[in-house]
């Protein structure tokens, strides 16, 4: 089994960040992601990945600094845990989680966001349950906050009330609106260029809003802040939209 390496300010520019190794559309997003990581390292963010060219990594940060609307003081928040392709079924997911637990010995536990049924970009609930996680809170339409306790005591983590609104402010109710952060290298392209194409094709207003601070993300109106799409003010999906996906969604509305 290949070893895990940890990204930091000394090797960040030389290493790939796993999920966007060969996608030219994500080139700008990769740089924005690395800039985002560089700023988060001083807040305690850890990014570990397999020492191989593959999508095998985990990213976590003390929950007080997480860019999500949760209340979980004293916990470690897992931004992303991903094992893809031929690397599945070899114990890498458990190894990455073990590394996170080792770095969280002084925490009440680990938390992450999953979903009732398996969905892209969210950690698999079945895997998390096998690793000792349990659901402690929910937010519409399908988000679940899951925790793995590492000791006795500590507050019960929960979503902030704003995460349960699933609606935008009244002045942002027209058309398709995407709120996103630079935490994912794919969001920049799809929240801008692809969004404009959707607007032209369907003749609807479109708007992208990049959440540029932790405070903005922690007060977002949906549980998942990496990418959230709203139509006429109402949350529709956390999955990154392209024209085909939006077309499929529009057909379901009819």
């Amino acid at each position: 089994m290949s070893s895990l390496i940890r990204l930091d300010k000394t090797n960040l520019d030389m290493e790939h960040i796993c999920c966007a190794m060969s996608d030219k559309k994500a080139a700008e997003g990769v740089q924005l992601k690395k800039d985002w990581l560089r700023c988060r390292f001083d807040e305690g963010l850890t990014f570990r990945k397999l020492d191989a060219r593959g999508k095998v990594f985990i990213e976590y940060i003390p929950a007080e600094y997480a860019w999500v609307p949760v209340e979980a003081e004293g916990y470690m928040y897992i931004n992303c845990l991903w094992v893809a392709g031929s690397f599945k079924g070899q114990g890498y997911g458990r190894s990455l989680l073990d590394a996170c637990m080792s770095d969280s010995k002084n925490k009440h536990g680990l938390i992450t966001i999953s979903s009732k049924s398996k969905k892209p970009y969210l950690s698999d609930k079945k895997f998390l349950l096998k690793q000792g996680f349990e659901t402690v809170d929910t937010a519409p339409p399908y988000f679940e906050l899951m925790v793995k306790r590492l000791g006795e005591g500590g507050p019960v983590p929960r979503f902030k009330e704003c995460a349960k609104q699933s609606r935008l402010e009244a002045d942002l109710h027209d058309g398709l609106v995407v709120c996103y952060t630079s935490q994912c290298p794919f969001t920049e392209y799809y929240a801008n260029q692809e969004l404009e194409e959707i607007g032209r094709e369907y003749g609807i207003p479109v708007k992208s809003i990049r959440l540029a601070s932790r405070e903005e993300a922690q007060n977002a109106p949906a549980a998942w802040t990496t990418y959230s799409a709203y139509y006429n003010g109402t949350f529709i999906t956390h999955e990154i939209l392209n024209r085909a996906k939006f077309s499929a969604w529009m057909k379901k509305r009819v």
Side-chain angles (χ1 to χ4, degrees):
M1 180 179 288
S2 300
S3 61
L4 300 178
I5 61 175
R6 179 172 178 166
L7 298 189
D8 57 30
K9 292 181 180 180
T10 66
N11 63 6
L12 180 60
D13 291 330
M14 298 176 287
E15 295 286 346
H16 69 77
I17 52 173
C18 300
C19 51
M21 292 180 291
S22 57
D23 191 334
K24 294 181 180 179
K25 293 179 181 178
E28 181 182 1
V30 167
Q31 187 55 55
L32 289 170
K33 165 72 173 182
K34 287 191 172 185
D35 292 342
W36 186 89
L37 286 172
R38 190 174 285 106
C39 293
R40 306 283 81 74
F41 286 142
D42 290 338
E43 298 170 346
L45 181 140
T46 296
F47 189 111
R48 294 185 186 273
K49 70 184 186 74
L50 192 67
D51 190 11
R53 190 167 177 79
K55 298 175 182 178
V56 183
F57 69 98
I58 188 170
E59 178 183 307
Y60 48 92
I61 190 171
E64 295 86 345
Y65 294 99
W67 285 43
V68 287
V70 299
E71 293 181 353
E73 186 175 354
Y75 287 82
M76 188 72 80
Y77 176 73
I78 300 174
N79 282 335
C80 195
L81 171 58
W82 195 0
V83 178
S86 62
F87 296 96
K88 289 184 176 181
Q90 300 182 47
Y92 288 120
R94 180 67 211 191
S95 294
L96 292 167
L97 194 58
D98 284 345
C100 178
M101 288 192 289
S102 179
D103 287 341
S104 307
K105 291 178 179 178
N106 296 322
K107 300 293 184 182
H108 298 308
L110 315 178
I111 61 168
T112 192
I113 295 175
S114 185
S115 53
K116 295 178 181 179
S117 58
K118 190 173 182 179
K119 293 185 180 296
Y121 310 112
L122 301 179
S123 295
D124 184 3
K125 181 179 179 179
K126 289 184 179 179
F127 170 78
L128 294 172
L129 289 173
K130 289 180 180 178
Q131 307 308 318
F133 282 78
E134 60 180 313
T135 299
V136 290
D137 200 6
T138 62
Y142 45 70
F143 297 108
E144 297 194 359
L145 184 63
M146 302 191 71
V147 61
K148 179 178 175 65
R149 295 187 179 278
L150 299 179
E152 299 294 330
V156 178
R158 66 184 184 90
F159 286 116
K160 296 177 69 173
E161 285 304 310
C162 61
K164 301 185 178 185
Q165 295 176 13
S166 291
R167 291 192 61 81
L168 292 172
E169 298 287 341
D171 60 341
L172 293 172
H173 276 193
D174 291 335
L176 181 61
V177 178
V178 168
C179 299
Y180 71 103
T181 73
S182 296
Q183 191 248 321
C184 173
F186 295 106
T187 55
E188 188 66 25
Y189 173 84
Y190 286 97
N192 290 284
Q193 290 181 248
E194 192 74 11
L195 190 66
E196 291 177 5
E197 291 292 332
I198 291 173
R200 282 193 288 268
E201 184 171 336
Y202 287 89
I204 59 174
V206 296
K207 183 180 180 63
S208 67
I209 301 172
R210 182 162 66 91
L211 305 178
S213 71
R214 180 176 73 246
E215 289 74 20
E216 286 180 316
Q218 289 182 348
N219 290 286
W224 190 252
T225 59
T226 305
Y227 181 103
S228 291
Y230 302 80
Y231 191 74
N232 290 340
T234 300
F235 177 89
I236 60 172
T237 186
H238 78 287
E239 296 182 37
I240 296 175
L241 289 174
N242 55 26
R243 280 167 285 175
K245 286 185 177 181
F246 185 71
S247 176
W249 180 81
M250 289 289 282
K251 289 177 181 178
K252 290 180 181 179
R253 295 180 67 241
V254 177

